[in-house]
Each structure stands twice: as C-alpha cells, then as structure tokens.
Amino acid sequence: AQSVTQLDSQVPVFEEAPVELRCNYSSSVSVYLFWYVQYPNQGLQLLLKYLSGSTLVKGINGFEAEFNKSQTSFHLRKPSVHISDTAEYFCAVSSFNTGNQFYFGTGTSLTVIP
Amino acid sequence: DSGVTQTPKHLITATGQRVTLRCSPRSGDLSVYWYQQSLDQGLQFLIQYYNGEERAKGNILERFSAQQFPDLHSELNLSSLELGDSALYFCASSDPMTIYFGEGSWLTVV
C-alpha cells in the first residue's frame, strides 16, 4: 500500500508571508498527487492535482505545488498568504494500479496570523 | 460544488440507536467512498464501492455497514451508536483519477 506523510501538523504564518506545506509519499510506480483544502465546517475541496506532464502545478487561490520524483515529494506553496487561507490541508496519492484507492496524509493545519 | 450530495447534513441521535446516511455520487462516477473525520482520529477511510461491489475496506467497525445500489447511490448504516461515533462522515466519488468529496453529514450521538 502507498502512504503519505505530511511533515508538519501545524503551520502558523503571518499574513502576506510565503508558506510551504510539505508532503512526501512512498511509491515506486507512477502516481497521481493531490492537495485538498478543508475550511472550517466544510468538506474537502480539490486545490490542485498532478496527473502527468509539467512538474509545476498551479491550483486555485494562488497555490502551486511541485512534483519531485527523485525526492518523492509534492510540496504546496503560496508566495503570500491571506487570512482566508486559514484551513486544514490534505495531501493525497493514487495511481493507475491501486484500483481507484486514494491515500491521504494526516493533514496540516495552516493558521494565518494578522 | 463538487457534485457529490449527502443527506442529512446534521443528525442528532441517542446512544444505542441506528442511523442511515445517504450519498449521491457525481454523475458518471462509479466509485463511492465513505470517510469518518473526528478531532482525535483525523480523516479515516471506512469503505469503498465500485459499481455496486465492495472494492476496499478500511477502519470500518462491525456495527457499521454500507452498500451501493444499482443507481450508484450509497448508504452508510451506523448501528448501536456510541458517544465516540460522533463525527463528520464524508462521502466521496471518483473518476479514474480524481476523488471528489461531499459536504459531509454531522452526526452527534448524545
């Protein structure tokens, strides 16, 4: 089975500062990678995904992530955060041969400080 | 809006009772998943169905059961409820490459 490690459970950052949320996965096969965001009292919303092609993926709300195959990482970045970015962020992995199974990390709580 | 619909949105029930949560997947999606999210356990995968058949099972208790019907909607049945079952229950559906979540059903057991 695959696994996903989100290295930071909580990340506090000041408003307008840059942020990076780290994600590593374990897989030796071609993977699909995802970041989801969960705002308070809401469901998980797809932020961005990597399926193939360019390793730099741009998502909604100014977020981007870079797929690094050699380091098996898919870190999420934003150059300048807003208060509204305060949320829980989940990294997930899947692959063609996992029978549509998706493996999620434990989440990173991003708190933007005014 | 992900296209995944869950009902009810909120539910309060007593210990020992049984409830049913319902889910309609996105149009065309054959896979349906159920997750439980609580403060102390995080996001836990319960079970997956694909076109009516069970595909994968996670940390689902024996008191819980699920099924996917021919029209692809799914139900999660929770019985002999305990206080610890209070949580947010998500349904999700997927195409071959991406999973999409509903807004969840809040279950409070009192």
Side-chain angles (χ1 to χ4, degrees), chain B residues 55-67:
Chain B
R55 173 66 67 91
K57 187 176 279 191
N59 301 321
I60 188 166
L61 300 172
E62 286 192 9
R63 300 183 285 108
F64 297 178
S65 65
Q67 54 184 328

Side-chain angles (χ1 to χ4, degrees), chain A residues 34 36 38 49 99-100 102, chain B residues 33 37 94-95 97-99:
Chain A
F34 310 84
Y36 289 82
Q38 184 181 25
K49 62 183 176 182
N100 280 59
F102 294 80
Chain B
Y33 312 73
Q37 187 179 42
S94 76
D95 60 30
M97 289 183 286
T98 306
I99 186 170

Side-chain angles (χ1 to χ4, degrees), chain A residues 8-9 21 27 33 45 54 59 71 79:
Chain A
D8 307 296
S9 60
L21 306 184
S27 175
L33 294 158
Q45 177 183 355
S54 172
Q71 296 187 6

Side-chain angles (χ1 to χ4, degrees), chain A residues 25-65:
Chain A
Y25 63 93
S26 66
S27 175
S28 59
V29 299
S30 295
V31 294
Y32 308 135
L33 294 158
F34 310 84
W35 277 99
Y36 289 82
V37 59
Q38 184 181 25
Y39 298 107
N41 301 316
Q42 294 187 25
L44 277 71
Q45 177 183 355
L46 181 64
L47 198 55
L48 49 78
K49 62 183 176 182
Y50 170 80
L51 302 179
S52 65
S54 172
T55 57
L56 184 62
V57 180
K58 294 190 184 298
I60 61 172
N61 301 337
F63 283 92
E64 64 181 31

Side-chain angles (χ1 to χ4, degrees), chain A residues 13-16 81-87 110-114:
Chain A
V13 61
F14 286 103
E15 192 174 14
E16 297 183 6
V81 295
H82 303 290
I83 297 292
S84 59
D85 293 323
T86 294
L110 174 64
T111 300
V112 180
I113 305 165

Side-chain angles (χ1 to χ4, degrees), chain B residues 3-100:
Chain B
V4 180
T5 304
Q6 290 187 246
T7 58
K9 287 186 170 29
H10 296 90
L11 190 57
I12 301 174
T13 191
T15 54
Q17 296 298 304
R18 172 190 172 94
V19 298
T20 297
L21 308 181
R22 295 176 177 80
C23 171
S24 294
R26 294 187 330 142
S27 178
D29 286 353
L30 300 180
S31 281
V32 170
Y33 312 73
W34 286 98
Y35 289 82
Q36 178 193 59
Q37 187 179 42
S38 59
L39 285 176
D40 57 344
Q41 295 285 336
L43 187 66
Q44 297 286 319
F45 167 66
L46 296 179
I47 197 164
Q48 176 197 358
Y49 281 83
Y50 180 83
N51 202 20
E53 304 224 343
E54 183 183 304
R55 173 66 67 91
K57 187 176 279 191
N59 301 321
I60 188 166
L61 300 172
E62 286 192 9
R63 300 183 285 108
F64 297 178
S65 65
Q67 54 184 328
Q68 185 180 27
F69 295 88
D71 67 353
L72 300 178
H73 91 274
S74 178
E75 294 182 354
L76 178 66
N77 300 295
L78 314 174
S79 62
S80 303
L81 285 167
E82 303 175 358
L83 295 178
D85 298 327
S86 295
L88 183 55
Y89 291 83
F90 286 113
C91 173
S93 71
S94 76
D95 60 30
M97 289 183 286
T98 306
I99 186 170
Y100 300 90

